[in-house]
Amino acid sequence: MKKRELYYMTGMLLFTALLNALSWILPSFSDYYTDHVFPLFTGSLGRLTSLVPFSVGERMIAAGVLLVLVLAVLLVLYPFVRRPDFRRRARGFFRFMAHLVIIVFLIMTLNCFLLYHCTPLSPGGAETDRRYTVSELACLRDYIVEEASALCDSLPHTGDGLLQAPEDLTARAMTAVSGLSGEYPRFASYCVTPKPLSCSGFISQQHMQ
């Protein structure tokens, strides 16, 4: 690996680590990023991914799993295969994966980690120190379950007894989120288009959906 390449990777890694450290130490830093910088990503990249009918994130997860499998195979074979062309290509793939891991770390930081440390949502954008008890959360859960059960009977069902989603469900979801912007200003940015997942069951089991 060339020194310039090593310096670049080290700099990217340190920059990403610095962003994470600032978000932990200074909630105001995360608030500024969430309110003024993050909307640029949803307004640009979000518009691009909304043009395709499938979940881009799901495809990226599948590609990541495939690359990890290839990496594992090469790591097992590398000590035993002495062919120069194989070892040269394997080293190139190792460098590619090192770059990719750092880039993914940066993307996750910009798209997720910084947002986790901003001030919690509150009506009108005002800060609040209100903390909810477990019993209050349990009451909210019970309320949601009861309301959902009551609404279930009034919705159309398929012949198998499953709920039949309306054709304009995506548009309704986007309208509902946008409608929250009056009470929660952070919802005022561009609303990306929600997509169905091909492997919904598996993603739900990983607590990622």
Side-chain angles (χ1 to χ4, degrees):
M1 185 179 295
K2 298 180 180 180
K3 287 186 177 180
R4 181 179 299 180
E5 185 179 6
L6 181 60
Y7 292 155
Y8 166 77
M9 294 175 63
T10 303
M12 287 281 289
L13 188 60
L14 292 176
F15 173 71
T16 306
L18 176 62
L19 290 177
N20 280 275
L22 288 174
S23 69
W24 277 91
I25 298 172
L26 300 172
S28 58
F29 172 78
S30 296
D31 288 343
Y32 182 87
Y33 174 84
T34 302
D35 295 333
H36 299 93
V37 180
F38 182 70
L40 299 178
F41 290 101
T42 56
S44 55
L45 296 178
R47 291 180 187 273
L48 291 177
T49 59
S50 293
L51 296 176
V52 296
F54 55 83
S55 170
V56 176
E58 185 180 30
R59 300 299 193 276
M60 292 176 67
I61 293 174
V65 172
L66 179 61
L67 288 174
V68 170
L69 291 177
V70 173
L71 176 63
V73 172
L74 290 179
L75 288 174
V76 171
L77 295 178
Y78 190 81
F80 305 101
V81 180
R82 298 297 179 179
R83 291 176 51 184
D85 58 335
F86 170 82
R87 298 178 73 85
R88 183 179 66 255
R89 293 175 181 176
R91 288 194 297 269
F93 185 79
F94 295 155
R95 289 197 300 271
F96 165 75
M97 287 298 293
H99 282 284
L100 184 61
V101 168
I102 293 175
I103 292 174
V104 169
F105 184 28
L106 176 60
I107 292 175
M108 292 298 294
T109 295
L110 297 175
N111 199 46
C112 300
F113 300 156
L114 295 184
L115 278 64
Y116 295 160
H117 300 287
C118 64
T119 303
L121 286 174
S122 56
E127 295 186 7
T128 177
D129 293 328
R130 178 75 161 86
R131 294 294 183 268
Y132 297 95
T133 64
V134 175
S135 59
E136 288 175 316
L137 292 176
C139 289
L140 174 61
R141 175 205 59 200
D142 294 342
Y143 172 78
I144 293 175
V145 170
E146 292 171 0
E147 289 295 307
S149 299
L151 288 173
C152 181
D153 296 334
S154 63
L155 295 175
H157 291 68
T158 65
D160 299 329
L162 300 176
L163 281 176
Q164 184 175 356
E167 295 182 358
D168 61 341
L169 181 61
T170 296
R172 290 189 185 188
M174 296 175 66
T175 300
V177 173
S178 298
L180 293 172
S181 60
E183 190 173 6
Y184 302 97
R186 283 178 182 166
F187 286 102
S189 59
Y190 175 77
C191 183
V192 298
T193 304
K195 316 282 184 58
L197 298 176
S198 302
C199 301
S200 177
F202 173 79
I203 296 296
S204 297
Q205 289 298 321
Q206 308 313 307
H207 304 286
M208 296 171 60
Q209 187 169 0

